[in-house]
Short mmCIF file of all heavy atoms in Angstrom, two decimals:
data_model
loop_
_atom_site.label_atom_id
_atom_site.label_comp_id
_atom_site.label_asym_id
_atom_site.label_seq_id
_atom_site.Cartn_x
_atom_site.Cartn_y
_atom_site.Cartn_z
N ARG A 711 -121.17 49.01 -104.42
CA ARG A 711 -120.59 48.11 -103.44
C ARG A 711 -121.50 46.85 -103.40
O ARG A 711 -122.67 46.87 -103.68
CB ARG A 711 -120.47 48.74 -102.10
CG ARG A 711 -121.74 49.11 -101.38
CD ARG A 711 -121.38 49.79 -100.08
NE ARG A 711 -122.30 50.35 -99.18
CZ ARG A 711 -123.59 50.53 -99.24
NH1 ARG A 711 -124.21 50.19 -100.19
NH2 ARG A 711 -124.26 51.10 -98.30
N ILE A 713 -123.75 43.98 -101.93
CA ILE A 713 -124.71 43.90 -100.87
C ILE A 713 -124.66 42.56 -100.14
O ILE A 713 -125.20 42.40 -99.08
CB ILE A 713 -126.16 44.14 -101.35
CG1 ILE A 713 -126.53 43.12 -102.41
CG2 ILE A 713 -126.34 45.55 -101.84
CD1 ILE A 713 -128.01 43.01 -102.64
N ILE A 724 -135.37 47.00 -104.99
CA ILE A 724 -135.26 48.08 -103.95
C ILE A 724 -136.65 48.57 -103.60
O ILE A 724 -137.54 48.68 -104.44
CB ILE A 724 -134.41 49.23 -104.52
CG1 ILE A 724 -132.98 48.78 -104.75
CG2 ILE A 724 -134.42 50.46 -103.57
CD1 ILE A 724 -132.08 49.78 -105.43
N TYR A 725 -136.85 48.80 -102.31
CA TYR A 725 -138.11 49.39 -101.84
C TYR A 725 -137.82 50.32 -100.67
O TYR A 725 -136.73 50.35 -100.10
CB TYR A 725 -139.12 48.29 -101.46
CG TYR A 725 -138.81 47.57 -100.16
CD1 TYR A 725 -139.43 47.94 -98.98
CD2 TYR A 725 -137.89 46.51 -100.12
CE1 TYR A 725 -139.13 47.29 -97.78
CE2 TYR A 725 -137.61 45.87 -98.94
CZ TYR A 725 -138.24 46.23 -97.78
OH TYR A 725 -137.98 45.56 -96.63
N TYR A 726 -138.83 51.13 -100.33
CA TYR A 726 -138.68 52.10 -99.26
C TYR A 726 -139.70 51.80 -98.17
O TYR A 726 -140.84 51.46 -98.42
CB TYR A 726 -138.92 53.52 -99.78
CG TYR A 726 -137.86 53.92 -100.77
CD1 TYR A 726 -137.98 53.66 -102.12
CD2 TYR A 726 -136.69 54.53 -100.32
CE1 TYR A 726 -136.98 54.00 -103.02
CE2 TYR A 726 -135.69 54.88 -101.21
CZ TYR A 726 -135.84 54.63 -102.57
OH TYR A 726 -134.84 54.97 -103.42
N ALA A 731 -134.24 53.01 -97.31
CA ALA A 731 -134.23 52.23 -98.51
C ALA A 731 -133.68 50.83 -98.20
O ALA A 731 -132.69 50.68 -97.49
CB ALA A 731 -133.38 52.90 -99.57
N TRP A 732 -134.32 49.82 -98.76
CA TRP A 732 -133.96 48.44 -98.53
C TRP A 732 -133.78 47.73 -99.87
O TRP A 732 -134.35 48.14 -100.87
CB TRP A 732 -135.06 47.71 -97.77
CG TRP A 732 -135.26 48.17 -96.36
CD1 TRP A 732 -135.93 49.32 -95.98
CD2 TRP A 732 -134.81 47.55 -95.17
NE1 TRP A 732 -135.90 49.42 -94.61
CE2 TRP A 732 -135.24 48.35 -94.08
CE3 TRP A 732 -134.10 46.37 -94.92
CZ2 TRP A 732 -134.95 48.00 -92.79
CZ3 TRP A 732 -133.80 46.03 -93.62
CH2 TRP A 732 -134.25 46.85 -92.55
N VAL A 733 -133.07 46.61 -99.86
CA VAL A 733 -132.98 45.75 -101.01
C VAL A 733 -133.37 44.33 -100.56
O VAL A 733 -132.95 43.88 -99.48
CB VAL A 733 -131.60 45.76 -101.68
CG1 VAL A 733 -130.51 45.28 -100.73
CG2 VAL A 733 -131.60 45.00 -102.96
N ARG A 748 -131.84 43.70 -96.76
CA ARG A 748 -130.76 44.44 -96.13
C ARG A 748 -130.96 45.93 -96.37
O ARG A 748 -131.36 46.32 -97.46
CB ARG A 748 -129.45 43.98 -96.73
CG ARG A 748 -128.27 44.71 -96.22
CD ARG A 748 -127.04 44.28 -96.97
NE ARG A 748 -125.97 45.23 -96.65
CZ ARG A 748 -124.74 44.91 -96.47
NH1 ARG A 748 -124.36 43.67 -96.58
NH2 ARG A 748 -123.88 45.79 -96.14
N PRO A 749 -130.66 46.79 -95.38
CA PRO A 749 -130.76 48.21 -95.66
C PRO A 749 -129.71 48.63 -96.68
O PRO A 749 -128.59 48.11 -96.66
CB PRO A 749 -130.45 48.85 -94.29
CG PRO A 749 -130.47 47.79 -93.29
CD PRO A 749 -130.30 46.49 -94.02
N LEU A 750 -130.06 49.51 -97.59
CA LEU A 750 -129.11 49.92 -98.64
C LEU A 750 -127.93 50.66 -98.08
O LEU A 750 -126.86 50.64 -98.61
CB LEU A 750 -129.81 50.79 -99.67
CG LEU A 750 -130.48 50.05 -100.82
CD1 LEU A 750 -131.10 51.03 -101.81
CD2 LEU A 750 -129.55 49.12 -101.53
N LYS A 751 -128.13 51.38 -96.96
CA LYS A 751 -127.02 52.14 -96.37
C LYS A 751 -126.09 51.27 -95.53
O LYS A 751 -125.21 51.79 -94.89
CB LYS A 751 -127.57 53.31 -95.55
CG LYS A 751 -128.19 54.39 -96.39
CD LYS A 751 -128.51 55.59 -95.59
CE LYS A 751 -129.02 56.72 -96.50
NZ LYS A 751 -129.32 57.91 -95.79
N GLY A 752 -126.33 49.97 -95.55
CA GLY A 752 -125.50 49.09 -94.77
C GLY A 752 -126.21 48.60 -93.53
O GLY A 752 -127.20 49.18 -93.10
N GLY A 753 -125.73 47.55 -92.98
CA GLY A 753 -126.37 46.95 -91.83
C GLY A 753 -126.50 45.46 -92.03
O GLY A 753 -126.05 44.89 -93.02
#
Side-chain angles (χ1 to χ4, degrees):
R711 66 181 174 357
I713 59 163
I724 295 172
Y725 73 98
Y726 294 89
W732 294 78
V733 61
R748 175 186 169 141
L750 273 182
K751 290 189 175 182

